[in-house]
Amino acid sequence: MSTVQVSSGPAQTSSMVLSSSIGKKLFMAATGLFMSLFVLGHLVGNLQIFLGQDQLNTYAQALKDLPALTWSVRTVMFICLVLHVWRGIQLYFENRASRPVRYHVNATVQASLASRTMIFTGIGIFLYVVYHLLHYTFIVTNPQYAGLHDALGRHDVYSMVVLGFQNGWISAVYVLAMLCLCYHLTHAIPSFFQTLGLNNDKTRLRFDIIGWLIATVIFIGYTMIPVAVLLKLVILPEGGM
Amino acid sequence: MNFTLRVWRQKNAREKGCLETYQARDISEDMSFLEMLDVVNENLVKDGIEPIHFDHDCREGICGACSLVINGIPHGGKKGCTTCELRMRNFADGDTITVEPFRAGAFPVIKDLMVDRSALDRIMQAGGFVSANTGGAPDANALPIKKDTVESAMDAAACIGCGACVAACKNASAMLFVSAKVSHLAQLPQGQVERVERVRKMVARMDFEGFGNCTNYYECEAVCPKEISVKNIARMNREFLKAITK
C-alpha cells in the first residue's frame, strides 16, 4: 500500500493531484482517453486497406514523411501506455491489500464481469501491443516484411498486412486481443465519465450504451481486416509485391 | 425453520479467527436475522459456550450499527434492507448460512462479527464543521432551496454510515460513504462556506485510513440499505476536481 501524508490541516493540493485515490482515477482516465483516441485514429488508417494497395501505402508513406508527427504521437502513446499499465498494476495490488483477510464466501450483486477483469484484459492488451509493435512496426518477428516494396518503391504495408493475416494463428491472436480491448473499453468508457464527475442517474445508462457502442465499432472495425484476409476478400496484389 | 450457521469466531483483533458451525432450531420465519442470532446465543449460553458477538442497536434500520456479511453480501442482499430488518422468511428452511464480519483493512475485527468502524467517524471529523449564523432559529422558508436539490441532498443524507459499501466493494473503498457525506452538504446553501476544504480533507482522510480505490464496480450501491446512488461518487469526483484546480 502506498503511504499517504496525514493531513491534519488543509490538504496540500499539489500533492493530492496524483497521490489521492481520486487523483489516481483521474490519471487512469486521462491516459486511457489518449490511448482510446489513438485506437480510433489507428482504425481509420487501417480501414484504408479496403481501398486497395495504393491507398494504404500512400497513407503509410504520408505518415512516414511526417516524422515529427509520428514520433511525437508514438512518444505520447508510449508514456501513456507505460504509466497506465504501471499504475493499473500498482492499483490492483493496493486494492487487494485494502482487504488483508478475504471473505470465505464471495458474492457479486451487480459489478459487471468487465469491471472485475480489467487487470486481466489490460495485461492481455499490453502483451498484444508489444507483439504487434515487434510484428508490424519494428518488423522483428517476421523480418522478411522489410523487403516488401510496391511498384512505386514504397514500403508495401498492404502486402505486409495481408501476408501477416493469412497466418491463422496471427489472426486468431489479433481477434483475441481485440476482444480484450473492447471488453476493457466497455467498462473504461462509462468509468471515464464517472471519474470526471459527468455522470448522474439520467446519464448512467447512456454512458453504458456509448461504451458498448464504441467498443463494438472498434471490435468490428479491426476484426474485419483479418477476417477479410482469411476469407480472401483482401488478397495480395497481382504481379507481385 | 432450521438453519445451519457457519459463523466467524475470533477472540480479539490479534488472534486468528475461523468459521464455526452452529445449528439454529425452531426459528420463526418472522424473526429478524439478529433475533435468530439471539436465539442461537441463548442456546450457546445454556451450553456454556461464549455467545456470538455482533453489533446492533436500534433494530429498526436507522442507526447503522448492525453489519454482517451474510452469504457473501453485506446485510444479506435484500434490497434497501439492513441486517436487523432482514426476516428469516427470506431464507429457505434447512439453508446453510455463512456469516462473516464486514472485512476491510480499515475495519479491524474487535471480536467475532464486531468490527471497528471508527475510521468512518474520523473521516466525518476531518470534514469539520458547518459555519452557521448565531442568533435565533431562522424563519421557515427564509432560505429557499429548489425541491430537486432538497430531494437530492436528502437522498445523500440518508446514509446511516453502516459501512456496507466498504464491505461490499471488492477494493474495500469508502467512496460511497464519503461521497454521500460530501454530496449532502455540497448541494445545500449551508454547506457552501467549507465546501472546497471539506472534500479535500475528507478524501485525504479516507485515503489515510487505508480504504481502497474506487474502480466503479458499483457493488456499494447494490448493498446500501439506504440505496444511495453512485451518482454521489460522480459528484464527489467533480467536487474534488474543482477543489484541486482552485
Side-chain angles (χ1 to χ4, degrees):
Chain A
M1 223 179 341
S2 73
T3 50
V4 179
Q5 297 277 311
V6 194
S7 77
S8 46
Q12 287 191 349
T13 307
S14 54
S15 69
M16 278 191 88
V17 177
L18 287 178
S19 67
S20 71
S21 56
I22 300 179
K24 290 172 194 165
K25 282 160 67 86
L26 288 166
F27 183 85
M28 294 302 277
T31 48
L33 172 70
F34 284 129
M35 290 193 287
S36 302
L37 291 175
F38 174 79
V39 164
L40 282 171
H42 189 27
L43 177 62
V44 173
N46 286 9
L47 287 176
Q48 294 178 45
I49 195 167
F50 292 109
L51 299 174
Q53 182 193 26
D54 186 53
Q55 176 59 39
L56 187 65
N57 289 356
T58 305
Y59 172 72
Q61 189 61 43
L63 286 185
K64 225 178 188 176
D65 292 339
L66 290 167
L69 176 78
T70 46
W71 279 102
S72 44
V73 170
R74 280 173 180 179
T75 309
V76 172
M77 279 310 110
F78 179 76
I79 294 170
C80 283
L81 179 73
V82 169
L83 293 179
H84 192 86
V85 170
W86 171 66
R87 259 304 201 208
I89 292 171
Q90 205 180 25
L91 282 172
Y92 174 75
F93 286 109
E94 218 175 86
N95 289 336
R96 277 189 74 84
S98 299
R99 178 166 290 128
V101 183
R102 320 292 299 172
Y103 288 114
H104 279 79
V105 178
N106 281 293
T108 296
V109 188
Q110 67 172 22
S112 67
L113 187 62
S115 71
R116 288 179 282 133
T117 51
M118 289 300 271
I119 185 78
F120 307 110
T121 48
I123 290 171
I125 299 162
F126 176 73
L127 293 177
Y128 176 72
V129 167
V130 172
Y131 168 70
H132 189 58
L133 290 175
L134 294 175
H135 184 216
Y136 280 146
T137 309
F138 300 112
I139 315 184
V140 175
T141 56
N142 300 59
Q144 68 274 24
Y145 295 164
L148 295 171
H149 292 95
D150 64 7
L152 296 171
R154 299 172 300 197
H155 176 46
D156 192 359
V157 173
Y158 178 89
S159 300
M160 177 175 84
V161 173
V162 175
L163 280 173
F165 287 142
Q166 279 177 348
N167 181 326
W169 286 108
I170 291 178
S171 288
V173 167
Y174 185 87
V175 173
L176 191 68
M178 288 309 109
L179 268 180
C180 280
L181 172 64
C182 295
Y183 208 45
H184 199 80
L185 286 176
T186 60
H187 181 66
I189 294 169
S191 287
F192 173 83
F193 293 106
Q194 171 78 359
T195 297
L196 258 66
L198 301 170
N199 202 9
N200 60 44
D201 284 343
K202 278 184 205 133
T203 56
R204 191 150 151 202
L205 181 65
R206 252 175 266 169
F207 288 142
D208 279 348
I209 293 171
I210 289 172
W212 274 98
L213 274 179
I214 297 177
T216 309
V217 165
I218 290 176
F219 180 75
I220 293 174
Y222 277 104
T223 310
M224 258 162 51
I225 301 167
V227 169
V229 170
L230 288 173
L231 293 176
K232 300 197 173 19
L233 299 173
V234 171
I235 51 171
L236 288 173
E238 281 185 36
M241 304 161 269
Chain B
M1 299 178 93
N2 297 313
F3 302 100
T4 302
L5 301 182
R6 293 167 71 225
V7 181
W8 184 261
R9 301 304 305 263
Q10 184 172 341
K11 257 201 152 106
N12 54 48
R14 286 176 304 281
E15 279 181 52
K16 265 194 142 180
C18 64
L19 286 171
E20 297 276 356
T21 305
Y22 303 103
Q23 299 302 322
R25 304 219 172 276
D26 300 326
I27 302 295
S28 156
E29 60 175 20
D30 296 327
M31 278 183 183
S32 74
F33 200 86
L34 297 185
E35 285 164 343
M36 181 274 293
L37 285 179
D38 291 338
V39 172
V40 171
N41 272 347
E42 267 181 42
N43 289 326
L44 288 180
V45 171
K46 273 184 204 156
D47 294 344
I49 301 171
E50 189 168 5
I52 302 159
H53 291 245
F54 58 88
D55 276 312
H56 63 101
D57 192 7
C58 76
R59 297 208 178 197
E60 54 184 21
I62 56 166
C63 76
C66 65
S67 58
L68 309 187
V69 173
I70 301 161
N71 289 335
I73 305 177
H75 292 304
K78 191 167 187 298
K79 208 167 165 44
C81 189
T82 52
T83 297
C84 64
E85 290 184 306
L86 182 68
R87 303 292 148 181
M88 295 315 292
R89 56 177 166 268
N90 291 296
F91 298 88
D93 192 20
D95 270 1
T96 297
I97 306 170
T98 306
V99 190
E100 295 176 80
F102 278 6
R103 292 220 184 274
F107 288 171
V109 171
I110 299 168
K111 193 176 176 73
D112 296 343
L113 302 170
M114 291 176 84
V115 298
D116 180 359
R117 285 171 279 179
S118 57
L120 298 183
D121 300 333
R122 290 190 291 274
I123 295 173
M124 293 294 279
Q125 278 178 330
F129 53 81
V130 173
S131 291
N133 291 328
T134 53
D139 287 341
N141 302 324
L143 192 58
I145 310 169
K146 273 191 194 162
K147 176 155 171 57
D148 288 350
T149 310
V150 171
E151 293 290 346
S152 178
M154 187 58 213
D155 285 348
C159 170
I160 53 175
C162 65
C165 44
V166 176
C169 177
K170 297 183 187 301
N171 305 334
S173 165
M175 286 283 277
L176 191 66
F177 166 79
V178 183
S179 71
K181 301 305 174 191
V182 166
S183 284
H184 163 207
L185 291 171
Q187 294 179 83
L188 296 175
Q190 292 89 341
Q192 297 312 305
V193 182
E194 293 85 11
R195 184 173 174 176
V196 172
E197 278 307 294
R198 186 182 305 114
V199 65
R200 278 188 200 161
K201 287 179 178 174
M202 291 182 89
V203 169
R205 189 72 210 188
M206 169 182 83
D207 293 346
F208 174 71
E209 294 289 346
F211 292 103
N213 307 288
C214 173
T215 52
N216 308 323
Y217 288 121
Y218 301 162
E219 281 294 282
C220 49
E221 175 192 70
V223 304
C224 175
K226 297 298 150 188
E227 299 178 76
I228 310 259
S229 161
V230 293
K231 75 173 179 191
N232 292 302
I233 297 182
R235 183 180 289 106
M236 179 162 79
N237 290 336
R238 194 157 68 229
E239 292 290 321
F240 183 79
L241 202 56
K242 276 189 218 156
I244 58 173
T245 48
K246 258 195 181 158

